[in-house]
Every structure is written in C-alpha cells, then in structure tokens.
Amino acid sequence: MNFWQSDMRRGIFGGTFDPVHYGHLILAETCRDTCLLDEVIWLPTFQSPFKSGSQPTDARHRLAMIDLAIAGVAEFRIDPREINRKQVSYTVETLTEMKAEFPEDELFFLIGADSLRDLPSWKEPERIVSLATIVAVNRQAGQLGRIQSDFEALPESIRERVQIVNMPEIGISATDLRERVEAKSSIRFLTPRPVERYIAENNLYRESQ
Ligand code: ATP
C-alpha cells in the first residue's frame, strides 16, 4: 500500500496499549471492515490525559508489543508521534498534524462508545470533529440504550460527526492482563502469542518492577 496516495480513509486508534490485546485487535479490524478504512493507524499515547495518576510501561515495550501484534497485517501500522513527543498529547493537536500531512484524506478517530459522553469535555471538541469522523465502538450489547442516550445528549454539531459501530463483546482489558501476569496466571489467547512471549522474556508486569 502506498501511504502517500491521496483520498484514503484512515482510521486512527489511540490507546495506552499496556499491553495490546485481542480486544484492541478486534476493535481495529471491526472498524476497518465496517467503515471501509484503507488503514488503521495505531497511535500509542505517551500518557493519556485521563490516566494521569498512573505511569504506563516504558513506551519502548508498548511499541514493541504492538509491532508484534500487528505484524503481517498490511492495513495496520504504528504512528509513534505521541510517544516521541514525550508529553501528554491532546487528540486535537495530533489530528491537526495528521490532517496537515494528509489533507486529501478522510480521517476517522476510533474511540470506545463509553467515552462518548466525555467527548464534549475534550480539548476543542468542535475542532476535533471538523478534522475527523468519530467512530464510537459499542462493545456491550446490553449498553445499547445508554449509548443511544449518550449519543442523543451530544450537541448536534458533534453528534452529526459521530458514527456508532458495534463489535462483539470481548471481555479483555489491559488491566486484567497485567493483574494476571502479576498473579502468575495464564494470559494465553488473550493476546497474540508473540506478545505473550515478549511479556515473559522482558519480565513485564511482575510485582518486582
Ligand atoms: P486499561 O485496562 O489499562 O484501562 P484497556 O484495555 O482499556 O486498558 P486502552 O489502551 O486504554 O486499553 O484502550 C484503547 C482503546 O481500546 C479504548 O478506546 C478502549 O475503550 C478500547 N478497548 C480496550 N479493551 C477493549 C475491549 N476488550 N473491547 C473493545 N474495546 C476495547
């Protein structure tokens, strides 16, 4: 794929990915498929503005694990810009940069539907939706009612730029993976095998760290 070709539909998937797991992979693939994206750009955050209390694992490891997880998937790639900036990044800043790089392209910013109600409190939400369509991914069938009411509560100018995508419920979280490793429980089949091996070989998420 030629990344410089214009008029592409580019999905942007931000997260801490500490570590990456099958929930993330299925979300990215569901959005690629449903929104007809030419590529999904994985955008690991240096530190989420919403998780300022906890320090994520060294970015070098988080990047390496995403690299292993998406190896061989032509439509997935990593963009390390937020990591390289070494400070808290705001979505609006990153999207502004990306839009300048790909002015002809249509950008889609992927978020969990549970974040929908917070969207108006993000930095410059109106500008965010002028730069990208928000793809809100609903992962829990039982939550449809709540998501619909969160959606309807959005100001119209934001709402008209939000698309809701449903994905199968995958009960996996990075928190659970970290806790399992610390408790010496298995994480097999929760994340790809190369990521599982990387975690073991690098002694990640052990209590002693
Ligand atoms: P943590 O448990 O450390 O909070 P996490 O597993 O939620 O992490 P993040 O890196 O914070 O992972 O998530 C990035 C994005 O992926 C978020 O939008 C989140 O809603 C979404 N996501 C995470 N796990 C799943 C899952 N199992 N199914 C669908 N979406 C998920």
Side-chain angles (χ1 to χ4, degrees):
M1 182 185 301
N2 174 9
F3 292 125
W4 304 110
Q5 111 194 30
S6 58
D7 291 333
M8 283 177 61
R9 294 165 69 84
R10 296 181 199 260
I12 299 159
F13 181 29
T16 317
F17 306 119
D18 190 13
V20 61
H21 54 70
Y22 278 121
H24 299 132
L25 287 158
I26 293 169
L27 181 152
E29 179 60 7
T30 302
C31 292
R32 187 198 64 75
D33 192 38
T34 311
C35 301
L36 305 176
L37 304 178
D38 296 295
E39 68 166 355
V40 176
I41 302 171
W42 292 62
L43 186 76
T45 48
F46 179 66
Q47 175 152 20
S48 161
F50 300 105
K51 291 185 183 174
S52 53
S54 58
Q55 262 322 101
T57 303
D58 190 323
R60 168 176 62 96
H61 290 310
R62 291 186 288 126
L63 281 170
M65 290 188 282
I66 302 169
D67 222 9
L68 291 169
I70 69 175
V73 184
E75 299 91 346
F76 289 177
R77 72 178 168 104
I78 302 180
D79 186 321
R81 76 182 67 212
E82 292 197 351
I83 297 279
N84 294 342
R85 231 181 260 150
K86 293 194 168 50
Q87 58 187 22
V88 172
S89 294
Y90 288 94
T91 301
V92 66
E93 292 159 2
T94 303
L95 288 179
T96 301
E97 267 183 31
M98 287 184 150
K99 190 68 189 172
E101 282 165 36
F102 312 119
E104 308 296 326
D105 295 351
E106 197 170 343
L107 303 184
F108 296 79
F109 191 70
L110 319 183
I111 63 170
D114 45 330
S115 303
L116 209 48
R117 62 166 58 173
D118 302 328
L119 193 54
S121 65
W122 290 15
K123 190 176 171 194
E124 299 186 57
E126 303 275 350
R127 182 156 167 72
I128 290 177
V129 298
S130 75
L131 294 163
T133 300
I134 304 296
V135 178
V137 185
N138 173 34
R139 49 167 140 162
Q140 283 164 315
Q143 298 256 302
L144 264 178
R146 208 203 92 183
I147 284 157
Q148 192 58 32
S149 59
D150 288 350
F151 175 75
E152 277 157 20
L154 291 171
E156 197 185 338
S157 55
I158 296 182
R159 192 170 61 229
E160 62 191 17
R161 296 280 292 149
V162 172
Q163 180 178 348
I164 295 180
V165 164
N166 292 310
M167 69 174 272
E169 186 168 345
I170 312 290
I172 305 175
S173 73
T175 305
D176 180 46
L177 258 90
R178 293 194 300 274
E179 286 173 359
R180 282 169 175 271
V181 174
E182 191 176 336
K184 298 190 169 55
S185 298
S186 169
I187 58 166
R188 189 181 297 173
F189 309 133
L190 300 178
T191 190
R193 299 297 314 261
V195 176
E196 187 190 330
R197 267 196 299 276
Y198 185 95
I199 290 171
E201 283 164 6
N202 291 276
N203 241 333
L204 301 183
Y205 311 121
R206 298 280 183 203
E207 200 184 8
S208 55
Q209 282 200 95

